Each structure stands twice: as structure tokens, then as C-alpha cells.
Amino acid sequence: MADIDVTGLVKRYGHVVAVDGLSFSVQKGEVFGMLGPNGAGKTTTLEIIEGLRAPDAGTVHVLGTDVLAHPGTVKERIGVQLQATALPDFTKVREAVELFAALYRQARPVAELMAEFNLEEKADAYTDKLSGGQMQRLSIALALINDPDLVFLDEPTTGLDPQARLNIWTVIEGIRQRGKTVVLTTHYMEEAERLCDRVAVIDRGHIVALDSPRHLIAANAAGTTVEFARVPGLDVEALRKLPGVDRVVADGQVSLTTRTPEVVLHALLDPQAPWAGAGSAGGDGEGEGMIRDLVVRHGTLEDVFLSLTGRSLRE
Amino acid sequence: MSDLAVSLRQVRAEQRGFWRNRVAAFFGFGFPIMFLLIFGAIFKGQTTCIDGSLGARGQCVGGTLVPYNNFFVPAMAAWGVITTCFSNLTINTVYRRDNGLLKRLRGTPLPSAAFVAGILGSALISAVIVVVLTAVVGHLLFQAPWPAHPLPALVSVLLGGLVFCVIGLALTAVTPNADAAPAVMNFTSLPLLFISGFFFNFNNAVFVDIAKVFPVYWFKEAMLTAFGAEPSSSGWNGQDLLVLLIWGVVGLALTLRFFRWESRRV
């Protein structure tokens, strides 16, 4: 049985259809991403699954339980981190952890959790004195206080500086290594690519694609681009005939588009190829060939979103 | 943990937050005490006519003539209860709704009832403290008598406090956001305080009739009776408490129907 089973989910706000017939499953132990621009319906979907909001139609089963019928049972077993981190005012870090620990039948030892999230130093600081990154670590720690099997993280790194973001990514990878299922929303493609086993690309309340980041990119982002300098004497026609090359653009530089970069690179860097070895243009180094300034660019989920919806992720 | 233990824990956390938030604590406690000091000093030694009207020669017709501070101490104690249970609790709840804390707590197994019990319990503790403080200041500085009927006084404070808490929670439903909350609270409570005769005898029949529709008036009456400012053998006045109770039931019904755990989507 999947950890999450959603079928035919619909949520309207007045005339606005925020979620328009979503169906998907999240398997045990995977990191499942929901990628889309602001207002795509990610948070609404998440909050319905968490039992915070009632849908207008559809069914939601979490860890085998019908959330709409038994929200209390589900809340005991999941961890929730909301988009806006809200804690009681005038509360110190340790007190906040203790306060949330008391809300569950079973909770992890407070000291252990604080050590794990590097919060010991700040234990006696008021929560409103924390940096953005510290606050987010605390927020995720609180989501794990009941040692849940399933954790929801709503835009866990939005608004953080790059260092803090990397730090949170490490935290999330740690959660995954302990075998927990993670559902996260993001509008950062690099975040989804790095962390997620599968990504649902969401636009205007619909899932427009659902697959692993690698497959999504392979299917929708026009492959990988291999670029290098156009050296005089380089046989561009021969490059066109290389296995795996879909398209060649040669102007100031040469760009090969491919869905199988491994094959193309192998052929390109073959020591027997006509462009290998000492180049006619008189390179600086011994044995330097005509393939210079080589760059391999991946397609990204940004390209995927653009290709699927015709719009940019962050517009 | 049992629901009771969870509720008690919430009460403790609420109280801790309340006392650490010095501005809120000051407004809850400082205002009634400040008015007591000012008005108490100005009108010390004078008398006031409760529930009656002053005749042509200054006599109290149809009411009771008492030293001003015998009346003013229980009135300010009542205001303190209204401030802590109605104004502060409501402003604080709207603020937490705006910043997402209420929604965050909904994501935990904490029962709604236990959460509400926590904030009500904490508000009632603060209410009892403000009443005791007012009585002590009134007695020491202005020779106002101690509450004549302690048990009715305590029951009035707890019942009145509870009623103002649930009415306040009901009012959060029509309070758009935290910025508007203090205005909504002042607009609903200050005029009623005046026409209900919290500061001086207010003998305009029309205004008094209006005041009698609302619980503010009846709470003041209950407190005056329990403190002994109004003649009463027992300190109990069934009518005062009954009207409060009805308002409490109405407030509870409105709260259960209209209370929102998150701010309106923009």
C-alpha cells in the first residue's frame, strides 16, 4: 500500500478552482516533490492531505487511513512543516520543542532532537531571534518530533540564503536516509532535481507531468547540449554523423544536442577520431586535439516546465 | 497524555507567554489600575448614587448612595476582567490566526477543545489576578472595603471572564486582521463601559436601556453586588448571572459556527 493515495482531488475557492482533479500516489521511502509556480495549487493539495482542509471532491488515504474521516489518527503519525513558520511568541527554542512534544502520544526525546538539528546552542534563545536558516531547522525539527513515517515540507528553503539552503538539503537527505517518506513543495528546480525521487509538475491545479527528474528532463527538456569551440579545420559534417547526435548548430562554437550524452562524448573523445591528437591550429599543449573548451549542459526542470506549460516557473 | 494534562500544559504555556509579553500584561493590568489611581484620587471622599438618579438637592432617588471608591474599585476590577478576557484574548487570537500559529497547531493532534481550554484557563487566571490587585490597591490607597462576599465575587469573575472570552472568540470571526483587532475591541467595549456606568453614574434612561442589552452592564452589576457596593444579604444576584450565562451560550454558539483557524485568503 502506498503511503499516500489521492484520487480526483478538487478544491474550489469561490469561482477559482485551486485543485482540479489531482490523482497520484506516494510510495513508502520516496522523496516526492511538487513543483510549480506560486498559486499552482501545491500548498492547497498538501494541506488537504495533512487534514487541514476539506476538499470539494476526491478521496485521500494517508498511511492507510482515510484522512477526511479520521484526521486525528493521521495527524498523530505525520510530520507537518507549513510554509509560514509560526510559533508562539515569547517562547524559547527548547520550550517550543517541549511544547510540541507534549502534543503527541509518542515523542522523541527533546535533547536528542535538538542535538540532531544543531539547535543546542540556541536552546535558550527566543525563537524570534533565530536566523532564517535556524528557524527553518527548528521548524523541520518540530515536524519530526513524533518520529513520523511521513513528513510534509512546504517550501522548506524559500527565502533562505544559499548556504542555509544547502544546509536544509542535507537535513532532508538525512530524513530520507532514515527511511522516511518525504513530500515537499518547491518552486526551485535545482531543489527538486537534487532531492526528489519523483516530481509532480503542477500548473493551475493540474499535474502536467509526473516522473523522476531525470526522465522528465529527458522527455521534455530537449536533451543535453555538448558545446565546444569551433576550431579551423574541424569537420562539422562528420560531427553530424556521430551516433546519438540529434542536432548540430555550428556558428562561433559548435553545439551538439543529444538525448544520450554518454554515447556522443565517447565518440567525440575517441583517440582515433580525426579531430583527436595534435591539432592543425597549433594548440598550446602536447597532444591537444580540436575539441577545446568543452562544456556539457543538462536540460533542467526549468526547461521541463517551460516546455510543458509554455511559461517560466518564476514569472 | 490525557486531554486534561494537555489542557493544563497549554494553560501553563499561555501564562508564561502572557507574563513575558510586558506590553500586553501592562495593557491588561495597567489600564484599570491607572484609572483607579486617577479617579480614585480625584473622587476620594465623595459619594456616588448607584442605580438611581440624583434629585434636585443631590439626594439619590431610587438607588444607593455609597462612597465613590466603594463603587469604583469593583467597577475597575470588572474592567480588568473585560480587558484580559475580551480585548487581550481576542487581539492575541487574531494575531495568531494571521501569523499561522493556529493553523500549525491544527496540523498536530492537539484537540481544538484542549487548545481553547488553554487560552481560556490562562485568561481566567489573569482575570483573578487583576481583580485581586485592584482590590488590594483600592483598599490600601483609598480605604475601599474588601469584597463583602468573596465566593460570589469569585464566581462572578470566573463566569464573567468565561463569557467575555467566548464572546471575544466569536468576534474574531468578524475581525479581518490583527491590525484591525484593537480597533474592533475598543469600539465594542469602550462605549459600553461608559453607558454601563463604569466610571460614574450614568443616568440617561435611553443609554441605560441600551446598556442593559449587553453583558458588560450585568457583569458590573454582579461585581458591585458581590463586592458589597449594592445592598445584598448574600452577594448573589440571580438576574445578573443569568443574563451573563445567556450571553455566554450565544457567544459559544457563534464561536462554534464562525470561528476561523486561518486568515482569509487574499
Side-chain angles (χ1 to χ4, degrees):
Chain A
M1 177 129 204
D3 269 8
I4 300 178
D5 260 313
V6 173
T7 50
L9 206 62
V10 175
K11 179 73 184 177
R12 294 183 203 92
Y13 295 109
H15 294 295
V16 181
V17 183
V19 177
D20 195 0
L22 290 197
S23 298
F24 61 90
S25 296
V26 177
Q27 302 305 317
K28 182 159 186 52
E30 78 172 325
V31 176
F32 185 89
M34 295 166 69
L35 180 76
N38 289 329
K42 308 185 296 282
T43 296
T44 301
T45 304
L46 214 58
E47 290 180 356
I48 293 172
I49 300 172
E50 291 161 355
L52 288 172
R53 220 172 267 291
D56 292 307
T59 62
V60 183
H61 284 83
V62 174
L63 301 169
T65 304
D66 182 346
V67 176
L68 309 178
H70 306 285
T73 312
V74 171
K75 284 173 186 174
E76 192 74 53
R77 296 181 60 200
I78 62 172
V80 172
Q81 185 241 0
L82 299 179
Q83 214 172 92
T85 305
L87 293 169
D89 281 341
F90 301 98
T91 305
K92 294 172 181 171
V93 171
R94 183 186 290 111
E95 292 167 352
V97 179
E98 287 168 350
L99 204 63
F100 275 77
L103 304 181
Y104 295 89
R105 259 185 232 123
Q106 284 190 316
R108 294 183 56 189
V110 168
E112 181 189 304
L113 198 69
M114 300 213 2
E116 188 180 316
F117 282 85
N118 271 326
L119 291 166
E120 290 155 309
E121 255 177 61
K122 293 284 168 186
D124 292 313
Y126 282 109
T127 54
D128 58 350
K129 301 282 182 257
L130 298 180
S131 71
Q134 290 164 339
M135 190 66 178
Q136 209 59 348
R137 283 212 307 275
L138 172 58
S139 177
I140 295 176
L142 293 178
L144 295 170
I145 189 94
N146 55 334
D147 200 19
D149 298 322
L150 173 57
V151 187
F152 295 90
L153 307 174
D154 198 355
E155 300 199 357
T157 67
T158 296
L160 296 186
D161 62 68
Q163 182 58 44
R165 174 169 304 154
L166 272 174
N167 189 310
I168 296 297
W169 286 356
T170 311
V171 166
I172 296 172
E173 282 163 349
I175 298 172
R176 182 245 204 86
Q177 274 162 20
R178 270 175 282 128
K180 300 192 183 301
T181 310
V182 178
V183 178
L184 64 87
T185 69
T186 181
H187 52 240
Y188 297 117
M189 45 163 183
E190 59 284 23
E191 183 162 292
E193 283 180 51
R194 167 155 171 185
L195 297 175
C196 297
D197 297 302
R198 287 193 304 148
V199 171
V201 181
I202 299 188
D203 185 41
R204 294 173 176 167
H206 294 274
I207 293 182
V208 291
L210 172 56
D211 209 329
S212 69
R214 219 173 72 88
H215 281 144
L216 283 174
I217 291 163
N220 300 288
T224 301
T225 301
V226 180
E227 292 172 341
F228 43 91
R230 186 174 187 183
V231 176
L234 188 64
D235 185 353
V236 174
E237 287 314 306
L239 291 173
R240 286 190 204 284
K241 291 176 189 131
L242 281 182
V245 171
D246 296 326
R247 197 158 55 100
V248 177
V249 177
D251 36 39
Q253 61 174 9
V254 182
S255 299
L256 309 181
T257 309
T258 174
R259 281 159 296 174
T260 51
E262 299 86 351
V263 175
V264 170
L265 283 173
H266 190 264
L268 202 59
L269 301 175
D270 182 355
Q272 306 303 322
W275 46 77
S280 60
D284 306 333
E286 182 78 13
E288 188 182 0
M290 290 190 216
I291 307 299
R292 298 184 197 156
D293 306 331
L294 181 81
V295 173
V296 181
R297 268 202 317 113
H298 281 290
T300 65
L301 285 178
E302 179 84 52
D303 301 324
V304 172
F305 193 81
L306 192 68
S307 134
L308 287 170
T309 68
R311 291 180 299 117
S312 167
L313 251 180
R314 275 166 282 171
E315 54 187 13
Chain B
M1 239 189 243
S2 74
D3 281 2
L4 179 67
V6 171
S7 303
L8 289 177
R9 228 192 145 93
Q10 287 296 117
V11 172
R12 214 180 70 194
E14 291 286 336
Q15 274 289 301
R16 189 173 61 200
F18 178 83
W19 291 104
R20 280 181 186 167
N21 185 351
R22 303 200 187 287
V23 176
F26 174 80
F27 276 94
F29 284 50
F31 259 129
I33 300 289
M34 184 179 77
F35 271 79
L36 179 61
L37 293 178
I38 296 170
F39 279 56
I42 294 173
F43 295 109
K44 192 175 176 182
Q46 300 189 25
T47 55
T48 186
C49 172
I50 305 175
D51 289 340
S53 51
L54 287 176
R57 276 161 288 131
Q59 79 277 37
C60 184
V61 180
T64 317
L65 199 67
V66 296
Y68 180 81
N69 282 322
N70 290 24
F71 144 80
F72 199 55
V73 167
M76 286 302 97
W79 186 23
V81 173
I82 292 171
T83 310
T84 45
C85 291
F86 178 72
S87 311
N88 279 359
L89 177 133
T90 308
I91 292 167
N92 203 9
T93 304
V94 173
Y95 170 74
R96 290 163 165 198
R97 186 181 70 195
D98 275 13
N99 81 2
L101 179 64
L102 297 189
K103 189 162 96 172
R104 178 65 186 88
L105 290 174
R106 290 278 273 180
T108 74
L110 175 68
S112 307
F115 171 71
V116 174
I119 57 178
L120 297 194
S122 170
L124 290 180
I125 290 173
S126 303
V128 170
I129 294 173
V130 76
V131 169
V132 170
L133 202 62
T134 309
V136 168
V137 171
H139 182 76
L140 295 183
L141 293 185
F142 304 118
Q143 290 78 49
W146 292 113
H149 311 284
L151 182 65
L154 181 65
V155 170
S156 299
V157 169
L158 294 181
L159 175 67
L162 212 53
V163 168
F164 286 110
C165 282
V166 294
I167 295 172
L169 289 179
L171 262 182
T172 61
V174 292
T175 307
N177 54 53
D179 291 336
V184 171
M185 290 306 105
N186 287 331
F187 191 78
T188 47
S189 65
L190 280 179
L192 285 178
L193 291 173
F194 274 103
I195 66 173
S196 300
F198 268 64
F199 302 98
F200 43 81
N201 184 9
F202 203 95
N203 265 327
N204 182 306
V206 175
F207 280 127
V208 171
D209 282 347
I210 295 173
K212 282 182 173 175
V213 176
F214 297 98
V216 170
Y217 175 89
W218 298 101
F219 182 50
K220 182 207 72 175
E221 287 294 301
M223 291 289 277
L224 291 186
T225 305
F227 269 62
E230 293 196 13
S232 158
S233 55
S234 66
W236 297 106
N237 183 327
Q239 189 191 7
D240 300 342
L241 301 181
L242 182 68
V243 177
L244 283 175
L245 202 61
I246 291 170
W247 266 98
V249 172
V250 171
L252 185 63
L254 291 174
T255 300
L256 291 175
R257 172 67 186 81
F258 294 110
F259 188 78
R260 286 181 283 126
W261 293 86
E262 58 180 306
S263 54
R264 279 213 177 88
R265 297 174 71 88
V266 279

Coordinates of all heavy atoms in Angstrom, one line a residue, chain A residues 52-89:
Chain A
L52 N -5.8 19.4 7.0 CA -6.1 20.8 7.5 C -7.3 21.4 6.7 O -7.8 22.5 7.1 CB -4.9 21.7 7.3 CG -3.7 21.4 8.2 CD1 -2.5 22.2 7.7 CD2 -4.0 21.8 9.6
R53 N -7.7 20.8 5.6 CA -8.6 21.5 4.7 C -9.5 20.4 4.1 O -8.9 19.3 3.8 CB -7.8 22.1 3.6 CG -8.2 23.4 3.1 CD -7.1 23.9 2.2 NE -6.2 24.7 2.8 CZ -6.4 25.9 3.3 NH1 -7.6 26.4 3.2 NH2 -5.5 26.6 3.9
A54 N -10.7 20.6 3.9 CA -11.6 19.6 3.3 C -11.7 19.9 1.8 O -11.9 21.0 1.4 CB -13.0 19.7 4.0
P55 N -11.6 18.9 1.0 CA -11.7 19.1 -0.4 C -13.2 19.1 -0.8 O -14.0 18.7 -0.1 CB -11.0 17.8 -1.0 CG -11.2 16.8 0.0 CD -11.2 17.5 1.4
D56 N -13.4 19.6 -2.0 CA -14.8 19.6 -2.5 C -15.1 18.3 -3.2 O -16.3 17.9 -3.3 CB -15.0 20.8 -3.6 CG -14.9 22.1 -2.9 OD1 -15.6 22.3 -1.9 OD2 -14.1 23.0 -3.3
A57 N -14.1 17.6 -3.6 CA -14.3 16.2 -4.1 C -13.0 15.5 -4.0 O -12.0 16.1 -4.0 CB -14.8 16.3 -5.6
G58 N -13.1 14.1 -4.1 CA -11.9 13.3 -4.1 C -11.7 12.6 -2.8 O -12.4 12.8 -1.8
T59 N -10.8 11.6 -2.8 CA -10.5 10.8 -1.6 C -9.0 10.9 -1.3 O -8.2 11.1 -2.2 CB -10.9 9.4 -1.8 OG1 -10.1 8.8 -2.8 CG2 -12.3 9.2 -2.1
V60 N -8.7 10.9 -0.1 CA -7.2 10.9 0.3 C -7.0 9.9 1.4 O -7.6 9.9 2.5 CB -6.9 12.3 0.9 CG1 -5.4 12.4 1.3 CG2 -7.3 13.4 0.0
H61 N -6.1 9.0 1.1 CA -5.7 8.0 2.1 C -4.2 8.2 2.5 O -3.4 8.3 1.6 CB -5.9 6.6 1.6 CG -7.3 6.1 1.7 ND1 -8.2 6.4 0.7 CD2 -8.0 5.5 2.6 CE1 -9.4 6.0 1.0 NE2 -9.3 5.4 2.2
V62 N -3.9 8.4 3.8 CA -2.6 8.6 4.2 C -2.2 7.5 5.2 O -3.0 7.2 6.2 CB -2.4 10.0 4.9 CG1 -1.1 10.1 5.5 CG2 -2.7 11.1 3.9
L63 N -1.2 6.7 4.9 CA -0.7 5.6 5.7 C -1.9 4.6 6.0 O -2.1 4.1 7.1 CB -0.1 6.1 7.1 CG 1.1 7.1 6.9 CD1 1.4 7.7 8.3 CD2 2.3 6.3 6.4
G64 N -2.7 4.5 5.0 CA -3.8 3.5 5.0 C -5.1 4.0 5.7 O -6.0 3.3 5.8
T65 N -5.0 5.3 6.1 CA -6.2 5.8 6.8 C -6.9 6.9 6.0 O -6.2 7.7 5.3 CB -5.8 6.5 8.2 OG1 -5.1 5.5 8.9 CG2 -7.0 7.0 8.9
D66 N -8.2 6.9 6.0 CA -8.9 8.0 5.3 C -8.8 9.3 6.0 O -9.4 9.4 7.1 CB -10.4 7.5 5.2 CG -11.2 8.5 4.4 OD1 -10.8 9.7 4.2 OD2 -12.4 8.2 4.0
V67 N -8.1 10.3 5.5 CA -7.8 11.5 6.2 C -9.1 12.3 6.5 O -9.3 12.9 7.6 CB -6.9 12.4 5.4 CG1 -6.7 13.7 6.1 CG2 -5.6 11.8 5.2
L68 N -10.0 12.3 5.6 CA -11.2 13.1 5.7 C -12.1 12.5 6.8 O -12.8 13.3 7.6 CB -12.0 13.1 4.4 CG -11.1 13.5 3.2 CD1 -11.9 13.5 1.9 CD2 -10.5 14.9 3.4
A69 N -12.0 11.2 7.0 CA -12.8 10.6 8.1 C -12.1 10.6 9.4 O -12.8 10.7 10.5 CB -13.2 9.2 7.7
H70 N -10.8 10.4 9.4 CA -10.1 10.3 10.7 C -8.8 11.2 10.7 O -7.7 10.7 10.7 CB -9.6 8.8 10.9 CG -10.7 7.8 10.8 ND1 -11.7 7.7 11.8 CD2 -11.1 7.0 9.8 CE1 -12.6 6.8 11.4 NE2 -12.2 6.3 10.2
P71 N -9.0 12.5 10.7 CA -7.9 13.4 10.6 C -7.0 13.2 11.8 O -5.7 13.3 11.7 CB -8.5 14.8 10.5 CG -9.9 14.6 11.0 CD -10.3 13.2 10.6
G72 N -7.6 13.0 13.0 CA -6.8 12.9 14.2 C -5.8 11.8 14.2 O -4.7 11.9 14.6
T73 N -6.2 10.6 13.7 CA -5.4 9.4 13.6 C -4.2 9.7 12.7 O -3.0 9.4 13.0 CB -6.2 8.3 13.0 OG1 -7.4 8.1 13.7 CG2 -5.4 7.0 13.1
V74 N -4.4 10.4 11.6 CA -3.4 10.7 10.7 C -2.4 11.7 11.3 O -1.2 11.6 11.1 CB -4.0 11.2 9.3 CG1 -2.9 11.7 8.4 CG2 -4.7 10.1 8.6
K75 N -2.9 12.8 11.9 CA -2.1 13.8 12.4 C -1.1 13.3 13.5 O 0.0 13.8 13.6 CB -2.9 14.9 13.1 CG -3.6 15.8 12.0 CD -4.6 16.8 12.6 CE -5.3 17.6 11.6 NZ -6.4 18.4 12.2
E76 N -1.5 12.2 14.2 CA -0.6 11.6 15.2 C 0.6 11.0 14.5 O 1.7 10.9 15.1 CB -1.4 10.6 15.9 CG -0.7 10.0 17.2 CD -0.8 11.0 18.4 OE1 -1.8 11.5 18.7 OE2 0.3 11.3 18.9
R77 N 0.5 10.6 13.2 CA 1.5 9.8 12.6 C 2.3 10.6 11.5 O 3.2 10.0 10.9 CB 0.9 8.6 11.9 CG 0.3 7.6 13.0 CD -0.3 6.4 12.4 NE 0.7 5.7 11.6 CZ 0.4 4.8 10.7 NH1 -0.9 4.6 10.3 NH2 1.3 4.1 10.1
I78 N 1.9 11.8 11.2 CA 2.7 12.5 10.2 C 3.4 13.7 10.8 O 3.1 14.1 11.9 CB 1.7 13.1 9.1 CG1 0.7 14.0 9.6 CG2 1.0 11.9 8.3 CD1 -0.2 14.8 8.6
G79 N 4.3 14.3 10.1 CA 5.0 15.5 10.5 C 4.7 16.6 9.5 O 4.7 16.4 8.3
V80 N 4.4 17.8 10.0 CA 4.0 18.8 9.2 C 4.8 20.1 9.4 O 5.1 20.5 10.5 CB 2.5 19.2 9.5 CG1 2.1 20.5 8.7 CG2 1.6 18.1 9.2
Q81 N 5.3 20.6 8.2 CA 6.0 21.9 8.3 C 5.3 22.8 7.3 O 5.2 22.5 6.1 CB 7.5 21.7 7.9 CG 8.2 23.0 8.1 CD 8.8 23.5 6.8 OE1 8.7 22.9 5.7 NE2 9.5 24.6 6.8
L82 N 4.7 23.9 7.8 CA 3.9 24.8 7.0 C 4.8 25.8 6.4 O 5.9 26.0 6.8 CB 2.8 25.4 7.8 CG 1.8 24.5 8.4 CD1 0.8 25.3 9.2 CD2 1.1 23.7 7.3
Q83 N 4.3 26.5 5.3 CA 5.0 27.5 4.6 C 5.5 28.6 5.5 O 6.6 29.0 5.5 CB 4.1 28.0 3.5 CG 4.9 28.4 2.3 CD 3.9 28.7 1.2 OE1 3.6 29.9 1.0 NE2 3.5 27.7 0.4
A84 N 4.6 29.1 6.3 CA 4.9 30.2 7.2 C 5.2 29.5 8.6 O 4.4 28.8 9.1 CB 3.8 31.2 7.4
T85 N 6.4 29.7 9.1 CA 6.8 29.1 10.3 C 6.2 30.0 11.5 O 6.6 31.1 11.7 CB 8.3 29.1 10.5 OG1 8.8 28.4 9.4 CG2 8.7 28.3 11.8
A86 N 5.2 29.4 12.1 CA 4.6 30.2 13.2 C 4.8 29.5 14.5 O 4.5 28.3 14.6 CB 3.1 30.4 12.9
L87 N 5.3 30.2 15.5 CA 5.5 29.6 16.8 C 4.9 30.6 17.8 O 4.8 31.8 17.5 CB 7.0 29.4 17.1 CG 7.7 28.3 16.3 CD1 9.2 28.4 16.5 CD2 7.1 27.0 16.7
P88 N 4.5 30.1 19.0 CA 4.0 31.1 20.0 C 5.1 32.2 20.3 O 6.3 31.9 20.3 CB 3.8 30.2 21.2 CG 3.8 28.8 20.8 CD 4.6 28.8 19.5
D89 N 4.6 33.4 20.5 CA 5.5 34.5 20.8 C 6.1 34.2 22.2 O 5.6 33.5 23.0 CB 4.8 35.8 20.9 CG 4.5 36.3 19.5 OD1 5.3 35.9 18.6 OD2 3.6 37.2 19.3

